[in-house]
Amino acid sequence: MLSLIETISFRGIPAIRLQTRQGSQAAVSLLGGQVLSWLPAGGRERLYLSEQAVFDGSRSIRGGVPVCFPQFSGLGDLPKHGLLRTLQWQVCDQKCTDDYVWVSLEVTDNAETRALWPHAFRAELTIGVEADHLGIELEIENTGDQAFAFTGALHSYLRVSEVEAVALTGLYGLEYRDAANGNVHKLDTAPELTVEGEVDRVYHQAKRQLLLDDGSHRIGIQQEGFPDVVVWNPWEELCRELPDMSDADFRRMLCVESAIAQNPLTLEPGESWWGRQALTDNPEMSTAVTEGEQ
């Protein structure tokens, strides 16, 4: 098997497939600049993608790793999660070796985005694949002559066998905003996060590696540049209200997102910012901190 980067059709839309010599693969949509699939070498699909997702550009694609900018969720006057998820991105760079492959996509402001948010910007997304590793880096550049503030996220939907059986460690001792319960601020005192109902938490200053244990496999989650972590599962009632998600699909996913959500970041003209999220399949060791560790 050879490493390769190729253009494919993914559910009827143009996408880029990355494949390493070891057999790991990822698929990235040019619509929204969105990772839609990740299969580690010898493994199964690790990202959730709804069978009812819409791929015509009328709305964002439900699943994978959507890019949220310049607004996370409803924290502002823009459409939820910002402006990039239904824009067409372009390939701007790529590299293919025996051990890893990566591709960079870019998108810039246009008349449509400026009508909603009057700022000039360039966003670049770099996706890299190794044998058991998926890396995603987002860079935002202020190309205008005025400063702007923004929030955002890499909104990763992780596929799980049964959400009630998974455990997420590494969040113990962190403060979070509980958006599912009146946006009250709490301190996480549990050694691990388990899902028994709707979860919508924004953890602040989350700098540790996280570990998602699904029983049969684990995913290590690390981030850099992003100060916050969002954990989301809509649970039964909210899932029924989502037209692009099957009623029972809340059991098959857990979003663990690298985010800027608590405090907006400001870029002066000519300045840039970057943040990344790295996912590792079945890591040998976790630095996730749980209760009792120093």
Side-chain angles (χ1 to χ4, degrees):
M1 181 179 293
L2 298 176
S3 297
L4 58 84
I5 302 173
E6 61 180 348
T7 302
I8 62 171
S9 177
F10 191 106
R11 297 203 193 177
I13 63 172
I16 305 296
R17 182 160 73 100
L18 311 176
Q19 177 181 293
T20 69
R21 179 174 53 88
Q22 297 91 344
S24 56
Q25 297 183 30
V28 188
S29 169
L30 297 179
L31 174 63
Q34 185 166 337
V35 181
L36 299 176
S37 172
W38 171 45
L39 290 84
R44 298 181 179 180
E45 179 62 61
R46 298 307 187 204
L47 298 181
Y48 166 82
L49 182 64
S50 173
E51 289 296 329
Q52 298 180 6
V54 177
F55 289 84
D56 62 6
S58 63
R59 60 186 305 158
S60 60
I61 300 169
R62 175 72 67 184
V65 187
V67 180
C68 306
F69 171 86
Q71 177 180 296
F72 174 73
S73 189
L75 302 179
D77 298 327
L78 297 176
K80 189 174 183 180
H81 291 316
L83 306 174
L84 303 188
R85 297 185 302 160
T86 56
L87 296 183
Q88 288 290 334
W89 295 55
Q90 304 293 326
V91 175
C92 61
D93 202 358
Q94 63 184 46
K95 186 171 184 178
C96 185
T97 75
D98 285 343
D99 298 319
Y100 66 89
V101 294
W102 59 261
V103 64
S104 292
L105 311 180
E106 67 175 355
V107 69
T108 61
D109 61 284
N110 56 31
E112 178 184 351
T113 66
R114 290 191 297 272
L116 296 172
W117 193 63
H119 297 287
F121 67 88
R122 175 180 178 270
E124 180 175 315
L125 189 72
T126 300
I127 303 97
V129 180
E130 299 177 46
D132 59 358
H133 180 84
L134 172 69
I136 308 173
E137 181 175 306
L138 176 64
E139 181 176 0
I140 302 296
E141 180 184 1
N142 182 346
T143 58
D145 55 10
Q146 296 181 353
F148 62 70
F150 69 95
T151 55
L154 296 174
H155 196 307
S156 302
Y157 286 76
L158 303 181
R159 176 176 289 274
V160 300
S161 300
E162 169 54 64
V163 73
E164 288 184 89
V166 305
L168 180 65
T169 55
L171 298 169
Y172 170 76
L174 298 182
E175 180 184 305
Y176 66 92
R177 176 171 58 84
D178 191 346
N181 292 285
N183 286 317
V184 296
H185 286 257
K186 302 178 181 179
L187 186 69
D188 196 324
T189 58
E192 60 186 25
L193 187 155
T194 56
V195 179
E196 299 175 344
E198 182 185 352
V199 176
D200 192 352
R201 300 182 179 184
V202 181
Y203 285 86
H204 310 315
Q205 298 302 312
K207 299 179 181 179
R208 304 188 204 104
Q209 176 182 323
L210 308 180
L211 186 69
L212 181 65
D213 192 334
D214 192 20
S216 61
H217 79 281
R218 302 181 302 168
I219 293 180
I221 307 163
Q222 291 181 294
Q223 65 186 46
E224 188 175 0
F226 289 97
D228 305 317
V229 165
V230 176
V231 183
W232 180 69
N233 181 281
W235 204 247
E236 188 173 2
E237 183 175 346
L238 181 57
C239 192
R240 285 198 299 264
E241 298 176 3
L242 300 174
D244 54 356
M245 196 168 172
S246 297
D247 289 355
D249 266 13
F250 70 92
R251 297 191 176 279
R252 304 290 172 249
M253 52 73 65
L254 183 67
C255 286
V256 184
E257 312 163 35
S258 298
I260 304 166
Q262 182 184 27
N263 298 310
L265 296 181
T266 298
L267 288 182
E268 299 293 334
E271 288 186 341
S272 62
W273 164 91
W274 62 267
R276 68 167 62 100
Q277 183 184 71
L279 304 177
T280 304
D281 191 57
N282 284 321
E284 294 181 0
M285 182 179 300
S286 171
T287 57
V289 176
T290 58
E291 185 173 14
E293 293 182 337
Q294 302 298 320

